[in-house]
Amino acid sequence: MNDTQQKRRMSPDMREQEIVRAAVRFFAEFGFEGQTRELAKRLGITQPLLYRYFPNKDALVERVYQEGFVRRWNPFWEGVIKDRNRPLEDRLREFYRDYSDAILTYEWVRLFMFSGLKGLNFNARYLEMLKERIFALIIEELRHEHGRPSIEKLPITEFEIEAVWGLHAAIFYLGVRKFIYNLPVDDPKKVVEMELKVFLSGVGSILER
């Protein structure tokens, strides 16, 4: 069976997944200004066929967000951070190694950057999820480690949020260097671990405030 026959006989679910995967790569390469007719040409299908699966470009872009961002979220991360049977540094090291593997990819970094430049709400939605589901947990565990009141007794401060933002920004910037600036990043896992150690060595002074 040749490629044309395979494409014609592809099931609707398979076709939809093929379109989404190609769209993730396409928008990561060209940004969200990329035209759906060019995407269809890449796929070897017609633009009307593409619109049978996604009625407009906005619907396709939303699916790219779900595929590229939401589906990469690992619900086990929260359990790792909260497991007080292990030293906090070990928990955070495991989380950040896994998290950096998820986000430091060509598609993730470039989609995130293009979303911000285009004024889409990907960034705000994702960062709000990160803040609610991860930042609060990290701050709670840091407070426990340093003998500070829980976040139920003392609301999270802006300094605490900014401290965790700084760590995440440093990790994300590794992807910017590699996939936006095309600069080499030697052994990103070791760099992530170094950034974590720097963060943990100084965060106690922020908690004291």
Side-chain angles (χ1 to χ4, degrees):
M1 184 183 297
N2 60 38
D3 289 344
T4 301
Q5 289 173 318
Q6 285 182 327
K7 287 183 180 295
R8 187 167 58 246
R9 297 186 182 187
M10 192 177 292
S11 72
D13 286 346
M14 290 177 62
R15 172 79 71 194
E16 182 175 322
Q17 285 300 317
E18 181 195 45
I19 292 171
V20 172
R21 287 193 299 268
V24 168
R25 294 191 298 269
F26 179 76
F27 290 128
E29 184 176 352
F30 297 104
F32 293 101
E33 299 292 344
Q35 299 297 309
T36 53
R37 63 175 175 269
E38 293 301 322
L39 172 60
K41 185 186 296 185
R42 257 194 190 197
L43 283 160
I45 62 175
T46 64
Q47 192 176 23
L49 177 58
L50 188 152
Y51 282 132
R52 282 174 52 188
Y53 290 88
F54 299 95
N56 52 54
K57 185 177 177 181
D58 287 344
L60 179 58
V61 168
E62 174 60 25
R63 183 62 181 276
V64 166
Y65 169 73
Q66 295 296 325
E67 187 73 20
F69 291 85
V70 177
R71 289 194 178 183
R72 289 181 184 235
W73 190 271
N74 187 341
F76 292 103
W77 289 336
E78 292 148 84
V80 169
I81 295 170
K82 292 189 292 186
D83 181 10
R84 290 181 180 172
N85 292 316
R86 302 170 56 192
L88 179 58
E89 184 172 348
D90 288 353
R91 289 180 266 156
L92 293 181
R93 184 186 302 112
E94 180 179 343
F95 163 67
Y96 279 109
R97 280 179 175 174
D98 198 39
Y99 179 73
S100 62
D101 282 343
I103 72 164
L104 297 182
T105 67
Y106 177 87
E107 289 86 3
W108 199 101
V109 170
R110 291 178 65 88
L111 287 173
F112 195 84
M113 294 294 289
F114 280 130
S115 170
L117 292 170
K118 179 67 173 173
L120 302 178
N121 67 355
F122 287 8
N123 308 63
R125 289 160 66 186
Y126 180 82
L127 292 175
E128 188 60 30
M129 178 171 66
L130 187 67
K131 185 177 174 181
E132 289 181 357
R133 298 179 64 175
I134 297 297
F135 285 20
L137 282 181
I138 290 175
I139 292 167
E140 177 72 3
E141 295 308 307
L142 286 168
R143 285 188 179 186
H144 181 267
E145 184 82 357
H146 289 266
R148 298 289 291 153
S150 71
I151 61 177
E152 292 180 355
K153 295 180 179 179
L154 180 67
I156 293 173
T157 69
E158 288 301 317
F159 279 109
E160 289 172 319
I161 291 291
E162 288 298 335
V164 183
W165 272 131
L167 174 59
H168 278 254
I171 293 171
F172 175 68
Y173 187 67
L174 297 175
V176 173
R177 281 170 50 192
K178 184 172 183 179
F179 300 117
I180 305 297
Y181 299 154
N182 295 314
L183 295 174
V185 178
D186 295 328
D187 204 341
K189 287 186 183 296
K190 285 188 176 180
V191 178
V192 168
E193 187 167 339
M194 177 199 71
E195 295 288 358
L196 175 61
K197 285 182 177 294
V198 170
F199 170 77
L200 291 175
S201 69
V203 75
S205 62
I206 300 300
L207 296 174
E208 290 170 6
R209 293 189 182 190

